[in-house]
């Protein structure tokens, strides 16, 4: 790897399969311009193998690519294209382990309750892999995410379907509003570098250190908060009764992938409360069998055949489903409910999809219905309620006229909640949790009860300064109002407001409209402007960055995969993200079933343009800039010609969309006048691709309809995957000869 190499990440599921088709095009075109492209495997399977490489035979070992890229992200030459990866929940992690074991990797099982040193070591290794292990490592900068002009123009000319809303819709958001993370939060700003300790003093006076050696920097914001378990259960019981009384679907919306410690626990509470009678009667049997509510109803049902009274317990679950409110479904045909798998219903994707579909989710009968959307923590629940209120009052949004909400997100150096994993604890006994500095002074203190979920978060000062700078830069560049979504009545936000007000005067804000508003208020303000066709930059923290960059794009564009996502790294490099991967599992299922991949690689096309631009600047390579300029124009043609994957067999899928991008890009390179050498090199390829267009499309369509064998889900066989994803011999030969 040289100082200017582009690193294209190999990830998981549909994005990884698309890479088998698209990367050969990138490599062929880049080679003509002297642009170096390398790959690094940061897939879930790759991360697992790397974590245990010292225990595996030499021919099975893999370097820790994520750690390597984490170091690279701190250097000014960093140029990383990051595709969506699996943020592994426990069920996903266990499934990946089982697949790798079946492929011959001598990996230990994931120990839920480690009893030996070996099991504790295995769990510690796996815990570094699960959840959002990738993003905090690579995101050494803040997020600049927006819809490219070409995408917005296309969406307005070709509006996606939006369900109608009525003022009498019963769809609502249910949230705690008390005794949750939002209401219990305390926040401090560190006056100097320090080392903190988090300890639990039990009611009997014994003290347990939950975490020590926690280094913090001057100006860093540190928060502590907890969700009371008993109050959570009471809230959930009320929500279940409310859904039943109102005749609406019951659904819970969490983020068990990114919030990998807290949200699976909350999910487990939902399962236990919904099936309270079952757990009251059979809870000990389930626990003895290692069947945890935190893993979801699906995992429990799958393990019942091992119990002598499994059929009896299954019947009890069936009765509870019949007697409770109707559950929202992930797949009503297969009986997969909202409570089956914690990672199946991810709030930032599921809530916008519900809002886009008239406030409906799918019921057990396969029909749409109004829904009670349960978001236990009230920190950001008001955002979704504000959108629902707006739709009830004003009807569905119109993609052909609506404005846009780009986002500037504070995420560098594991800012805020997503950096809380190693500081989140399920409290075992009643007592008091304290955060103390090196001098032994208490900075944060909470009285807690057994079962409550306590967490601390950190936000360093340098990322906050950079975030404010990026917000002003984007507001200036687009001449668009920028709103900091911060609530002065929330402890953490109050400290950030003080910093924002201190750092804004460091920049030229003359003539700019920059505001600070609480999230629900900011949502209403942005929606009012959206309906007038006006744009508003949302300047948010880390979790709201995730929520907003799904919410508004799904409403505006029909998907969040078409966003341009640039992370200007604090030390000068660039991380270029290619969109969200929430739909990736369903796409893989369809490919395996009928050899049709609906994954849209538009995000990859968009990310490659600024990556090539950075390469041109760092390497002094003018040809790379020509590649970027022509790719940008080719993507515009791609959209105008509607070459994204179709919705059904017989239309082009992901592989066909890659062919057309390659064709339009080659044509643009052949026609451009900035570099005669590149024009001469690409003219024959452009001619060959155009001349063989029908033959190539026919070859791509011919394979559809039959099931395929990838040799694995989490780690496909490379040869099998390449064969499936590159089925056109004519296209393959054209690239090879080029």
């Amino acid at each position: 790897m040289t100082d200017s190499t582009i690193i294209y990440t190999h990830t998981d599921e549909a994005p990884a399969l698309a890479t088998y088709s698209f990367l050969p095009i990138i490599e062929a075109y880049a080679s003509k311009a002297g642009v170096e492209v390398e790959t690094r495997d940061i897939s879930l399977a790759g991360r697992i193998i790397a974590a245990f490489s010292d225990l595996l035979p030499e021919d099975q070992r893999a370097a820790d690519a994520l750690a390597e890229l984490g170091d690279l992200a701190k250097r000014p030459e960093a140029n990383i294209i990051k595709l969506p990866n699996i943020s592994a929940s426990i069920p996903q992690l266990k499934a990946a382990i089982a697949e790798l074991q079946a492929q011959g990797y001598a990996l230990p099982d994931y120990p839920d309750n480690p009893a030996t040193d070996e099991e504790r070591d295995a769990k510690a290794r796996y815990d570094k892999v699960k959840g959002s292990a990738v993003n905090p490592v690579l995101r050494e900068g803040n997020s600049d995410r927006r819809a490219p002009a070409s995408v917005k123009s296309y969406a307005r000319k070709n509006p996606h379907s939006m369900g109608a809303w009525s003022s009498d819709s019963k769809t609502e958001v249910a949230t705690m509003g008390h005794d949750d993370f939002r209401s219990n939060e305390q926040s401090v700003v560190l006056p100097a570098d320090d080392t903190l300790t988090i300890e639990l003093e039990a009611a009997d006076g014994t003290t347990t250190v939950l975490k020590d050696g926690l280094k913090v920097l001057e100006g860093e914001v540190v928060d502590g908060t907890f969700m009371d378990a008993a109050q959570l259960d009471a809230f959930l019981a009320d929500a279940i009764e409310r859904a039943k009384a109102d005749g609406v679907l019951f659904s819970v919306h969490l983020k068990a992938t990114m919030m990998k410690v807290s949200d699976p626990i909350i999910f487990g509470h939902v399962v236990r409360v919904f099936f309270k009678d079952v757990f009251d009667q059979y809870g000990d049997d389930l626990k003895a069998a290692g069947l945890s509510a935190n893993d979801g109803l699906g995992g429990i049902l799958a393990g019942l055949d091992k119990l002598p009274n499994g059929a009896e317990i299954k019947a009890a679950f069936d009765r509870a489903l019949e007697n409770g409110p109707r559950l929202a479904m992930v797949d009503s045909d297969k009986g997969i409910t909202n409570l089956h798998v914690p990672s199946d219903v991810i709030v930032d994707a599921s809530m916008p999809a519900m809002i886009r579909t008239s406030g409906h989710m799918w019921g057990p009968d396969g029909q749409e219905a109004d829904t009670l959307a349960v978001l236990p923590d009230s920190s950001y629940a008001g955002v979704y309620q504000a959108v629902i209120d707006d739709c009830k009052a004003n009807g569905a949004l119109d993609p052909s006229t609506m404005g846009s909400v780009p986002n500037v997100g504070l995420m560098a150096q594991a800012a805020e909640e997503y950096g809380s994993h190693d500081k989140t604890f399920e409290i075992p006994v009643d007592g008091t949790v304290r955060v103390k500095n090196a001098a032994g002074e208490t900075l944060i203190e909470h009285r807690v009860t057994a079962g409550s979920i306590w967490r601390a978060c950190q936000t360093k000062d340098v990322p906050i300064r950079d975030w404010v700078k990026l917000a002003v830069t984007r507001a200036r560049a687009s001449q668009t109002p920028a709103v900091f979504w911060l609530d002065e009545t929330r402890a953490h936000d109050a400290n950030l407001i003080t910093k924002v007000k201190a750092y804004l005067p460091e920049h030229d804000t003359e003539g700019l409209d920059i505001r600070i508003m609480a999230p629900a208020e900011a949502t209403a303000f942005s929606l009012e402007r959206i309906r007038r066709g006006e744009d508003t930059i949302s300047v948010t923290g880390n979790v709201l960055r995730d929520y907003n960059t799904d919410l508004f794009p799904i409403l505006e564009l029909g998907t969040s995969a078409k966003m341009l996502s640039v992370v200007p790294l604090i030390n000068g490099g660039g991380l270029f993200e290619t969109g969200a991967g929430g739909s990736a599992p369903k796409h893989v299922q369809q490919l395996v079933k009928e050899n049709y991949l609906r994954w849209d690689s538009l995000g990859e096309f968009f990310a490659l343009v600024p990556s090539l631009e950075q390469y041109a600047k760092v390497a002094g390579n003018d040809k790379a800039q020509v590649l970027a300029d022509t790719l940008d124009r080719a993507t515009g043609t791609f959209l105008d010609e509607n070459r994204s994957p179709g919705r059904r067999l017989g239309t082009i899928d992901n592989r066909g969309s890659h062919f057309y991008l390659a064709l339009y890009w080659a044509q643009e390179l052949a026609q451009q006048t900035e570099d005669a050498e590149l024009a001469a090199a690409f003219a024959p390829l452009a001619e060959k691709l155009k001349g063989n267009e029908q033959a190539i499309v026919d070859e791509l369509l011919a394979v559809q309809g039959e099931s395929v064998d990838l040799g694995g889900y989490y780690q496909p066989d490379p040869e099998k995957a390449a064969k499936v994803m590159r089925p056109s011999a004519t296209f393959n030969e054209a690239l090879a000869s080029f």
Side-chain angles (χ1 to χ4, degrees), residues 595-648:
N595 204 353
Y596 189 89
L597 186 66
R598 265 191 65 193
W599 176 258
D600 192 339
S601 290
L602 200 58
E604 288 97 292
F605 305 164
F606 290 141
L608 187 55
V609 172
S611 174
L612 287 166
E613 289 174 340
Q614 172 149 318
Y615 189 99
K617 182 172 68 174
V618 173
N621 183 329
D622 293 338
K623 292 182 186 297
Q625 185 62 52
V626 174
L627 285 184
D629 294 340
T630 51
L631 175 56
D632 192 34
R633 295 196 292 272
T635 304
T637 304
F638 176 93
L639 287 167
D640 289 339
E641 295 294 328
N642 197 20
R643 298 302 187 183
S644 288
R647 291 182 172 273
R648 62 187 183 279

Side-chain angles (χ1 to χ4, degrees), residues 53-62:
S53 271
D54 59 316
L55 305 180
L56 295 173
E58 193 164 338
D59 63 342
Q60 291 185 336
R61 294 177 184 175

Side-chain angles (χ1 to χ4, degrees), residues 373-489:
V374 176
L375 282 68
D377 180 43
S378 60
S379 295
Y380 309 112
V383 168
Y384 296 114
Q385 186 62 55
V387 182
I388 291 169
D389 290 342
D390 180 87
C391 290
K392 287 182 182 180
N394 302 302
L397 292 156
D398 183 354
S400 67
T401 60
M402 64 189 289
S404 187
V405 181
N407 179 264
V408 172
L410 172 61
M411 67 178 190
Q413 299 175 2
E416 300 189 329
E417 292 99 326
Y418 286 166
S420 67
H421 310 310
D422 62 341
K423 300 174 288 292
T424 300
F425 310 96
E426 189 172 22
I427 301 301
V429 294
D430 293 357
T432 303
V433 175
R434 297 185 181 91
V435 179
K436 293 184 175 181
N437 62 15
E441 300 165 329
T442 297
L443 306 181
I444 293 170
E445 180 175 288
H446 290 109
R447 292 288 299 274
V448 293
T449 55
S452 296
I453 307 163
W454 190 95
R455 76 172 184 220
C457 308
Q458 299 168 255
T459 314
K460 294 178 173 55
D461 187 61
V462 168
I464 297 171
R465 284 179 178 268
D466 182 77
W467 177 57
V468 173
K469 174 186 174 182
L470 184 57
V472 175
T473 300
R474 290 303 311 149
R476 175 73 62 194
S478 61
Q479 288 298 303
T480 302
V483 180
F484 285 85
W485 292 39
L486 296 170
D487 184 351
E488 64 183 2
T489 68

Side-chain angles (χ1 to χ4, degrees), residues 487-509:
D487 184 351
E488 64 183 2
T489 68
R490 180 179 171 184
H492 167 81
D493 285 10
N495 280 330
L496 257 64
I497 289 172
T498 299
K499 285 180 175 287
V500 168
K501 289 180 175 179
Y503 298 151
L504 277 173
E506 297 176 358
H507 308 284
D508 176 15
T509 59

Side-chain angles (χ1 to χ4, degrees), residues 310-375:
E312 179 184 330
I313 299 174
K314 172 68 165 58
F317 276 113
D318 289 341
R319 284 194 300 274
L321 286 170
E322 290 174 11
N323 296 332
R326 292 177 301 150
L327 273 177
M329 306 297 285
V330 171
D331 190 330
S332 54
D333 291 341
K334 297 180 180 178
I336 299 175
T337 73
N338 179 269
L339 300 183
H340 261 63
V341 182
S343 56
D344 265 356
V345 182
I346 303 300
V347 58
D348 44 339
S350 60
M351 286 300 295
M354 184 191 80
I355 292 167
R356 182 184 159 187
T357 316
S358 310
H360 294 163
M361 294 186 74
W362 296 97
D365 58 359
Q367 301 298 311
E368 294 180 24
D370 289 345
T371 305
L372 184 66
V374 176
L375 282 68

